Amino acid sequence: MKILVTGGLGFIGSHTVVELQNEGFEVVIVDNLSNTSLSVLDGIQNITGKVPAFEKLDLREKDKVQDFFKRHHDISGVIHFAASKAVGESVENPLLYYENNINALVYILQELQQKPEANFIFSSSCTVYGQAETMPITENASIQTAMSPYGNTKQIGEEIITDTAKVTNVNAILLRYFNPIGAHPSTEIGELPIGVPQNLVPFITQTGFGLRKELAVYGDDYPTPDGTAVRDYIHVVDLAKAHVIALQRLLNKKNTAKVETFNLGTGTGSSVLEVIHTFEKVSGKKLPYKIVGRREGDITSAYANTDKANTVLGWKAQSTLEEAMASAWKWEQKIRK
């Protein structure tokens, strides 16, 4: 079966392509290379022994999307990763996020609704919950007002998919990720941020390697045990495997609703300082950091209740925070050689 993976050379996308190819799927990747490198294709090939089909394409160009689906009319499923994803950047440049994250989604769904059957996996986020009222967060938690334009695009995206599925042959699964980290154990692929990293772990590993003078910890006055923000950090390989299981659920018609939603996390919250200390433990390095003011758009705490993903999907995160941090550190050392 041919599967389209948008943003398939990105961090989570590339790891998902590996898992899809390992399961025997034929993969077509679409990516505009705005936040990744073509060299990721080599890494995927080195792991799986297969080169996925690749097209450089900007999904904001509607005519290009239409042309793609004309040429690839035999696609059995779409996993949609392609989106801008940094909370801070979205606050500074909201229109970029609305154009990139909403328009591309609409153009893909417009093509899928013309098919007699369409299976769609959406890369969503725990940011849709805003600052949830209780922890851990279940899929039934109320959707709070978004804390950032990025979070808002994920909320709007979910609404667009739900409205579309009601009146078309599109079946969808919304996967709400918590915080993906780590790298493939082969160190052939990992996180490749362009410029200054927007996420905590690559900033930690770059600081550990000496590329950055020190790490900024945004706020130590949160109502948490050590004052720093708490998140649910999940190994990217565990996350990638969940996408394959979700896709197979749709392909095998095991879904019980037109649109299903699952949280993907470990179920454990870790503070920023805990992540720093875990890195120091696995790397043997002391990490220079300083406490600075809170960052706009950040919430206090978010970690998942994973019962639904564990029981209904039959998926569970396997890797520990230590294992994920060790893989991220191995990857950082490899790409700096």
Side-chain angles (χ1 to χ4, degrees), residues 15-74:
H15 286 81
T16 302
V17 170
V18 164
E19 298 302 325
L20 286 166
Q21 292 198 157
N22 285 343
E23 287 291 317
F25 288 100
E26 180 188 348
V27 177
V28 183
I29 295 173
V30 158
D31 203 302
N32 68 358
L33 303 179
S34 62
N35 196 34
T36 187
S37 158
L38 203 51
S39 65
V40 176
L41 272 177
D42 299 330
I44 293 170
Q45 181 184 7
N46 291 343
I47 298 167
T48 66
K50 287 176 282 191
V51 188
F54 169 73
E55 290 195 25
K56 185 179 178 186
L57 194 149
D58 193 322
L59 294 166
R60 290 173 293 189
E61 297 181 52
K62 185 173 181 174
D63 57 336
K64 300 275 178 66
V65 177
Q66 291 171 328
D67 174 65
F68 175 87
F69 278 94
K70 278 196 189 82
R71 290 183 288 108
H72 296 275
H73 51 81
D74 55 344

Side-chain angles (χ1 to χ4, degrees), residues 8 14 25 35 41 46 50 87 135 141 143 146 188 204 206-207 211-212 214 230-231 236 263 273 291 305 325 335:
S14 59
F25 288 100
N35 196 34
L41 272 177
N46 291 343
K50 287 176 282 191
V87 167
M135 294 293 146
I143 303 296
E188 289 288 349
I204 285 176
Q206 288 187 12
T207 306
L211 290 180
R212 307 202 175 271
E214 63 186 359
V230 169
R231 299 289 183 270
V236 65
N263 284 340
L273 287 181
I291 307 294
N305 179 314
M325 291 303 291
I335 60 176

